[in-house]
Amino acid sequence: MEDSKIVELYWQRNESAISATQEKYGKYLSKIAYNILDDVEDSRESVSDTYLRAWYSIPPHKPVHLSAFLAKITRQISIDIYRKRTSKKRSGSEYALSLEELFDCASPDGNPEKEIDATELSKAISSFVSSLPRETANIFICRYFYFDSIRGIATYTGSSESKIKSILYRTRLELKNYLEKEELI
Amino acid sequence: MKPEDIIDAMNSIDNNAVFEAQEMRKQKKKGKSWIKWVAVAACFCLVIGAVLGHFHFKPSNVTDPTTQPSTLIQNIPPVKNPFAISNAVYPDMLKIPSEADFTDENGNVDWVAYSDAFSIWSKECNARKNNSVSAANYSNFFNTTTKKFFADTKGENLVYSPVNVYLALCMLAESTGGQSRQQILDLLGAGSVEELRSNANKLWMSNYANDGVKTNILANSVWLSDSLKYNKPTLDILANNYYASSFSGAMGSPDYTKALQNWLNEQTGGLLEEQSGAIELSPDTLFSLASTVYFNGRWESEFPEHLTKADTFHAVKGSQTIDFMYQRLDGKPFYTDDNYSATYLDFQNGGKMWLILPDAGNSPESLIQNGSINSILNGSTPKNKQNNVLINVFMPKFDVVSSINLNEYIEALGVKDVFYSTKADFSPILAESRPAYVSEINHSARVTVDEKGCTAAAFTVIAAEGVMVPEGQEIYFRLDRPFLFVITSDDSTPLFVGVVNNVE
């Protein structure tokens, strides 16, 4: 079903909106949740919460790209679940690896306690991503939004893992420089 | 700030961007399949891409390969490439005289003429060898880079060609100026760019071989954009001192990328097709430098094929079954030290493959980190050297390949500025100043060995590790667990070094 039709069902408060969403995006959302949580049970919970939250947010929202809209919800819910976990359980997922990779960008001085303004940072990150060449932006988003593995990205872009690593490494350096310039770190 | 803050901020990026990335994720490109191959060879390629730029290139003089005298080998296949603007003129090298050329219709060999031709040929070979680069410079580079690159192999195989990386970095030094260049010169151990040029030339002359017996072909090239202007003097230096062919085309066009990949495949005998398939000239590329080494040598003493048998290799990833070759070597030195044992196999017409087997509990990587590899190569330290032993060599028939990105390593070795557009100085090559940086240094390598020869390494396990074996006794050198190999040239320059952690 087309996105616009599904959104229409939400607006009509027709519950088949949820089954349509599940059918079209269930797998896609599960993958995002799993990349973050590395646990099937938790991922399932995160995805069903996503449907519920979508139900209560459309309307008022009328997303053009339903996939992106839903992805952001699943991503946020999954990250919240991850953060409630004990430190023992917090390892192994692609999300956990992404955090490690970003450590240098976030606190090059080794001081993660420094407070920042979340709104300012969101603006900065958005404009940084939109300034990147298209392919680089896509790869950056695949890694740090979707938390896809390096190998996965290499496979669907038809590149080598070392090339993907190199692009990500380069982009993180650029991000660090950018954040420094913006005086956010 | 915490990394989590960045992750959270990523949730507010534009939905269009998220959507676009998702479109890319949906594509499933199939990986290229492996080529089944049996040849024995080692090859390496290194591609440095510099991103950003613009201009008009004036073609330098195109050389006509047909002007070469026919008695000399035209060493490199002519570049049949629509983007070629100048073809490297390689050093001429006499071919080893063949008896057939001195045999008359009745089958009588003119031995006097043959022996004259042979002595001319061997004089030429020796002249080239005497030209070799100052050992200190290169061995310093070899030490620091090897230690760095092998610091964290994570149990994977890794093959590295120092000569390949050295020559590629020389070309990068020529293309850069100021501090960018100085940092490269420091790593390469050259006081000035003139000294570097002379070192590179000596390294080239003493290692380039294509005389009918041994093949060790070095090739360089520079890939330019047809919409940018470059400084001709620098391109001439690359052509004259580094034998670099040049190409010009539309960056980002699939045809031009294909041309680069074809060139890499051609120069490496098609052994690195999978790796070269990942190399591309993107629209952002200002120029790209490529360097290759192709080595093919025959064992002086071949392994009898009928003695090859499947056996177990105790790989890092668990036991693996692979064919082991076997031969008995008499009169080869055998070295033992506290934590390894070593010997070597000779190639016909010079050069060796060192096989270094760490004792149980040591990894091949640790022999690099603790400097053992140097002691072995320069013959200084091994505690025990035995000349009069019979060595039973069991060596896996292996094919190892690796592809690594050197950016972080090279940066960690002090070559920093070229990676930052705000600091990099490419004024020697780019006619118009523009921000640019080195985006990728990819080093791919593959080494294979079989009964007949050529590249790669293996080791020995002795029954009593690290213990001196009485003279005249037999030693079983069984390379059935992770080991280290080094291929050296006639003048002992290390050409390739690799760690075989797995054989599958």
Side-chain angles (χ1 to χ4, degrees):
Chain A
M1 198 186 291
E2 280 171 36
D3 280 3
S4 56
K5 292 248 170 65
I6 301 176
V7 173
E8 217 176 288
L9 290 175
Y10 278 106
W11 274 76
Q12 292 160 2
R13 306 319 289 158
N14 184 332
E15 283 177 20
S16 64
I18 292 180
S19 54
T21 306
Q22 189 169 10
E23 194 179 312
K24 188 169 179 183
Y25 292 115
K27 249 172 131 180
Y28 158 79
L29 297 173
S30 303
K31 167 93 173 129
I32 298 170
Y34 189 81
N35 281 349
I36 297 167
L37 297 165
D38 195 30
D39 181 291
V40 178
E41 217 31 66
D42 286 357
S43 302
R44 204 170 286 156
E45 185 193 323
S46 161
V47 174
S48 38
D49 281 358
T50 304
Y51 301 138
L52 201 66
R53 209 178 288 183
W55 179 255
Y56 290 114
S57 51
I58 316 175
H61 287 288
K62 202 165 195 174
V64 181
H65 295 306
L66 187 58
S67 63
F69 183 84
L70 295 168
K72 286 185 173 178
I73 299 176
T74 304
R75 188 179 181 271
Q76 201 50 60
I77 293 173
S78 305
I79 292 175
D80 288 343
I81 296 176
Y82 181 91
R83 285 178 185 158
K84 280 182 205 139
R85 282 178 176 176
T86 57
S87 54
K88 238 187 212 168
K89 267 190 91 186
R90 289 186 188 185
S91 64
S93 75
E94 289 300 330
Y95 172 72
L97 296 173
S98 302
L99 286 177
E100 281 173 28
E101 290 168 11
L102 287 170
F103 189 84
D104 267 354
C105 291
S107 19
D109 56 354
N111 176 17
E113 300 310 325
K114 217 154 113 190
E115 290 292 327
I116 47 100
D117 179 333
T119 323
E120 283 297 302
L121 181 64
S122 295
K123 269 191 213 155
I125 297 281
S126 294
S127 72
F128 172 74
V129 171
S130 61
S131 74
L132 294 171
R134 197 165 159 173
E135 196 199 346
T136 310
N138 283 345
I139 291 172
F140 191 77
I141 291 169
C142 289
R143 182 63 178 159
Y144 302 113
F145 181 88
Y146 287 110
F147 305 111
D148 284 337
S149 66
I150 307 278
R151 174 166 293 187
I153 300 173
T155 309
Y156 57 67
T157 53
S159 313
S160 66
E161 285 181 48
S162 75
K163 188 182 166 189
I164 300 297
K165 273 190 203 156
S166 154
I167 291 172
L168 290 171
Y169 172 70
R170 169 81 20 229
T171 313
R172 289 198 305 272
L173 282 183
E174 298 276 323
L175 173 61
K176 190 171 115 185
N177 288 344
Y178 181 83
L179 293 174
E180 266 164 2
K181 207 183 77 202
E182 298 290 312
E183 294 177 347
L184 285 161
I185 50 174
Chain B
M1 191 199 313
K2 298 188 183 71
E4 283 89 345
D5 298 324
I6 296 178
I7 294 286
D8 286 347
M10 283 291 286
N11 222 34
S12 50
I13 58 172
D14 185 49
N15 276 354
N16 285 321
V18 174
F19 178 76
E20 212 168 82
Q22 167 56 13
E23 291 300 295
M24 183 177 85
R25 297 170 81 227
K26 284 198 284 195
Q27 297 168 21
K28 286 256 185 296
K29 290 193 186 160
K30 286 204 186 100
K32 285 156 205 146
S33 63
W34 271 106
I35 309 154
K36 183 92 183 152
W37 72 294
V38 275
V40 190
C43 57
F44 302 85
C45 76
L46 191 133
V47 178
I48 299 180
V51 165
L52 275 202
H54 235 54
F55 59 108
H56 277 301
F57 176 69
K58 297 174 210 95
S60 58
N61 295 334
V62 177
T63 357
D64 178 2
T66 59
T67 57
Q68 301 282 338
S70 60
T71 49
L72 298 170
I73 308 171
Q74 177 54 40
N75 292 308
I76 267 324
V79 180
K80 293 177 238 101
N81 181 316
F83 301 103
I85 50 178
S86 95
N87 207 347
V89 184
Y90 281 75
D92 294 324
M93 193 171 285
L94 281 173
K95 196 172 191 169
I96 186 168
S98 140
E99 283 173 31
D101 297 337
F102 297 88
T103 308
D104 65 20
E105 292 141 27
N106 304 321
N108 298 318
V109 181
D110 183 348
W111 289 110
V112 176
Y114 174 78
S115 111
D116 284 351
F118 197 90
S119 53
I120 292 174
W121 172 80
S122 74
K123 224 185 248 172
E124 199 209 62
C125 289
N126 288 332
R128 268 186 280 122
K129 282 176 216 161
N130 291 337
N131 216 358
S132 59
V133 69
S134 132
N137 283 339
Y138 184 79
S139 80
N140 243 338
F141 171 78
F142 174 78
N143 289 342
T144 51
T145 53
T146 309
K147 277 188 185 166
K148 186 60 84 181
F149 300 171
F150 284 86
D152 187 19
T153 61
K154 297 194 169 73
E156 299 289 337
N157 294 328
L158 179 60
V159 193
Y160 161 52
S161 170
V163 68
N164 183 213
V165 174
Y166 186 92
L167 287 171
L169 289 176
C170 285
M171 293 205 294
L172 185 62
E174 295 280 4
S175 309
T176 50
Q179 203 51 33
S180 301
R181 172 181 283 177
Q182 193 53 49
Q183 290 169 351
I184 304 172
L185 293 179
D186 291 346
L187 175 62
L188 299 177
S192 66
V193 72
E194 289 74 22
E195 188 187 331
L196 183 75
R197 224 168 270 163
S198 128
N199 287 347
N201 192 264
K202 285 175 187 165
L203 192 64
W204 185 291
M205 292 308 283
S206 59
N207 287 299
Y208 180 83
N210 191 5
D211 55 15
V213 179
K214 193 177 67 172
T215 311
N216 187 21
I217 296 180
L218 311 169
N220 290 326
S221 60
V222 48
W223 297 76
L224 307 169
S225 160
D226 59 8
S227 58
L228 289 182
K229 285 186 189 146
Y230 301 88
N231 290 323
K232 184 144 187 320
T234 299
L235 296 176
D236 287 345
I237 288 168
L238 293 177
N240 299 334
N241 293 275
Y242 301 91
Y243 309 103
S245 301
S246 32
F247 300 86
S248 177
M251 289 296 176
S253 83
D255 286 353
Y256 198 34
T257 287
K258 192 82 202 112
L260 168 59
Q261 293 171 350
N262 287 344
W263 185 87
L264 293 170
N265 293 338
E266 218 166 81
Q267 302 301 333
T268 54
L271 297 183
L272 291 170
E273 285 196 8
E274 174 161 315
Q275 290 67 33
S276 68
I279 302 285
E280 62 166 6
L281 295 167
S282 77
D284 291 337
T285 306
L286 296 186
F287 68 94
S288 197
L289 302 169
S291 196
T292 57
V293 181
Y294 179 84
F295 177 93
N296 192 328
R298 290 196 143 213
W299 302 127
E300 193 177 66
S301 162
E302 292 184 13
F303 290 85
E305 275 180 51
H306 68 276
L307 294 179
T308 298
K309 273 205 305 244
D311 211 325
T312 306
F313 183 85
H314 305 282
V316 168
K317 292 180 180 165
S319 292
Q320 299 173 339
T321 303
I322 190 166
D323 280 348
F324 275 74
M325 309 180 289
Y326 166 72
Q327 69 173 311
R328 283 160 83 102
L329 293 172
D330 205 352
K332 274 273 153 59
F334 188 76
Y335 303 91
T336 50
D337 208 324
D338 288 345
N339 43 22
Y340 64 85
S341 47
T343 188
Y344 58 79
L345 301 174
D346 284 302
F347 289 112
Q348 288 180 27
N349 202 29
K352 294 177 170 69
M353 177 185 272
W354 282 90
L355 302 169
I356 309 166
L357 185 70
D359 290 346
N362 289 296
S363 65
E365 291 86 348
S366 69
L367 298 181
I368 293 175
Q369 299 307 329
N370 69 18
S372 298
I373 189 173
N374 298 314
S375 322
I376 299 168
L377 294 178
N378 58 32
S380 58
T381 0
K383 277 189 187 155
N384 306 314
K385 178 182 173 186
Q386 291 161 271
N387 287 314
N388 188 21
V389 287
L390 192 59
I391 309 174
N392 293 274
V393 178
F394 295 88
M395 170 159 132
K397 210 164 144 175
F398 65 83
D399 174 0
V400 291
V401 62
S402 65
S403 184
I404 48 171
N405 188 303
L406 299 181
N407 291 23
E408 290 173 58
Y409 301 119
I410 299 281
E411 189 173 345
L413 289 168
V415 178
K416 297 176 189 296
D417 288 7
V418 291
F419 295 108
Y420 297 89
S421 58
T422 44
K423 293 179 184 157
D425 175 2
F426 288 101
S427 55
I429 187 161
L430 297 176
E432 289 158 5
S433 157
R434 62 184 63 237
Y437 63 89
V438 170
S439 56
E440 185 173 22
I441 302 186
N442 173 287
H443 182 53
S444 299
R446 182 171 181 178
V447 173
T448 66
V449 289
D450 69 7
E451 290 87 349
K452 297 214 162 38
C454 220
T455 340
F459 270 57
T460 305
V461 173
I462 358 172
E465 283 157 352
V467 174
M468 185 91 168
V469 178
E471 293 283 312
Q473 226 174 318
E474 264 187 80
I475 285 173
Y476 290 85
F477 193 59
R478 191 180 273 278
L479 296 169
D480 62 354
R481 51 195 163 86
F483 62 93
L484 186 66
F485 67 84
V486 184
I487 299 174
T488 58
S489 66
D490 305 359
D491 63 350
S492 303
T493 307
L495 299 176
F496 322 115
V497 48
V499 165
V500 180
N501 278 321
N502 305 287
V503 291
E504 273 178 351

